[in-house]
Amino acid sequence: MPRPSDNDCQMTRQILDRIGDKWSLYIIATLNDGSRRFNELKREIEGISQRMLTLSLRGLERDGLVTRTVFPTIPPRVDYALTPLGATLLEPVMALVRWAEKNKQPIAQARERFDEAANAAPEPGEGVVYRRR
Amino acid sequence: MPRPSDNDCQMTRQILDRIGDKWSLYIIATLNDGSRRFNELKREIEGISQRMLTLSLRGLERDGLVTRTVFPTIPPRVDYALTPLGATLLEPVMALVRWAEKNKQPIAQARERFDEAANAAPEPGEGVVYRRR
DNA sequence: CAGGATCCTTTCAGATACTG
DNA sequence: CAGTATCTGAAAGGATCCTG
């Protein structure tokens, strides 16, 4: 894998930043079922604020992953849809999601063990000392 | 893909957050070549601060992706290495990286087009008006 | 309906100083 | 060497109000 200093790596880094952000993946996954209007997305993606939906969609549009189609009617109507490029992103992403789902058990267990050890680690010869306050 | 509201999705979300953060992927990629000491990682991962390296390693250790081995010598020595689980993460991640590298050209072009359009869009009947200040 | 503009709080992350 | 602790500026993100 390229290093952060590599010029070649900047674009990769930026793409990972986008798909790694809090909402873009959900938008892409939702649009994979077909195009949506702004408020449809807002309703289907629970917890997203209007602001973040707008910003995320702008980012995806800027990267050519999503199209934005305005119908100059009253009231206005705006449809968002995946571009062919955006659609191809879903495959490698889903591979990662499958990995996460497949391994969430051992990860959750590792966390429990780690957190227990951190909270209950006795300092040798000093009695019990609780770390992290 | 599960929705953010699904309980089932929380772990997946958290895993994506981890691999999506700024440094974890570089750490994993570096450790894939073999175990490293703290300062070796710091030297090899250009631009990372001591603080962020510590925090990222703690997170990876907590999730069971990385092991931390302390040698109680003077000066102290600490080795970090991938767990078997951590090693399996690299494959789906690399699929994503390959996608990014393969498609960085069209994405960069889409950005140029988008940014130009945003900066030069003339308001109809109003002469040229520059958006974003 | 689909946002743009603002305000305001929370979180992140770099720099620095100190320690076993 | 391998960290921890603290401070601080920057950035992310939510809530709210306003508009064509």
Side-chain angles (χ1 to χ4, degrees):
Chain A
M1 180 153 71
R3 290 288 135 70
S5 53
D6 297 345
N7 271 346
D8 233 34
C9 172
Q10 299 300 4
M11 182 60 54
T12 304
R13 175 75 267 163
Q14 289 173 19
I15 292 170
L16 287 176
D17 281 349
R18 171 150 327 286
I19 70 98
D21 80 6
K22 202 172 181 193
W23 300 110
S24 294
L25 272 188
Y26 292 120
I27 295 175
I28 290 175
T30 303
L31 290 180
N32 194 47
D33 301 336
S35 75
R36 300 294 154 92
R37 301 176 61 171
F38 185 84
N39 276 338
E40 285 176 342
L41 284 172
K42 189 165 183 322
R43 269 190 298 275
E44 292 191 48
I45 302 174
E46 209 164 320
I48 194 170
S49 67
Q50 184 190 60
R51 172 191 154 86
M52 289 317 293
L53 179 55
T54 300
L55 289 179
S56 302
L57 284 170
R58 286 295 169 279
L60 292 169
E61 188 195 355
R62 182 168 112 101
D63 286 354
L65 303 175
V66 158
T67 59
R68 178 175 182 271
T69 309
V70 181
F71 300 91
T73 58
I74 296 177
R77 173 198 178 112
V78 180
D79 276 13
Y80 292 93
L82 283 187
T83 63
L85 181 60
T88 67
L89 175 56
L90 216 52
E91 189 194 312
V93 164
M94 286 310 290
L96 202 52
V97 170
R98 278 193 299 275
W99 184 94
E101 304 221 313
K102 182 179 170 189
N103 294 291
K104 64 186 175 185
Q105 214 95 26
I107 291 177
Q109 288 168 6
R111 285 187 185 177
E112 277 186 46
R113 263 181 283 117
F114 185 90
D115 293 347
E116 273 177 37
N119 271 329
E123 302 289 329
E126 290 256 347
V128 175
V129 175
Y130 291 89
R131 282 163 70 183
R132 57 181 90 250
R133 190 215 296 270
Chain B
M1 179 153 72
R3 289 289 136 68
S5 52
D6 297 345
N7 270 345
D8 233 34
C9 170
Q10 299 300 2
M11 183 59 56
T12 304
R13 172 76 268 162
Q14 288 172 21
I15 292 169
L16 286 177
D17 280 350
R18 170 149 329 287
I19 70 99
D21 80 6
K22 200 172 180 191
W23 300 110
S24 294
L25 272 188
Y26 292 119
I27 295 174
I28 291 176
T30 304
L31 290 180
N32 195 46
D33 301 336
S35 75
R36 302 292 155 91
R37 301 177 61 171
F38 185 85
N39 277 338
E40 286 175 342
L41 285 173
K42 188 165 184 323
R43 269 190 299 275
E44 291 190 48
I45 301 175
E46 209 165 321
I48 195 170
S49 68
Q50 188 187 53
R51 173 191 154 86
M52 289 317 292
L53 180 55
T54 301
L55 290 179
S56 302
L57 285 170
R58 285 296 169 280
L60 292 168
E61 188 195 356
R62 182 168 111 102
D63 286 353
L65 303 175
V66 158
T67 59
R68 177 175 183 271
T69 310
V70 181
F71 300 90
T73 57
I74 295 178
R77 172 199 179 113
V78 180
D79 275 13
Y80 292 92
L82 282 187
T83 63
L85 180 61
T88 66
L89 175 56
L90 215 53
E91 190 195 313
V93 163
M94 286 311 289
L96 202 51
V97 171
R98 278 192 301 273
W99 183 93
E101 304 220 313
K102 183 178 170 190
N103 294 290
K104 62 185 177 186
Q105 215 94 27
I107 291 177
Q109 288 168 6
R111 285 188 184 176
E112 278 186 43
R113 262 182 284 118
F114 184 91
D115 294 347
E116 273 177 34
N119 270 328
E123 301 291 329
E126 291 255 348
V128 175
V129 175
Y130 290 90
R131 285 162 70 184
R132 55 180 92 254
R133 194 223 297 258

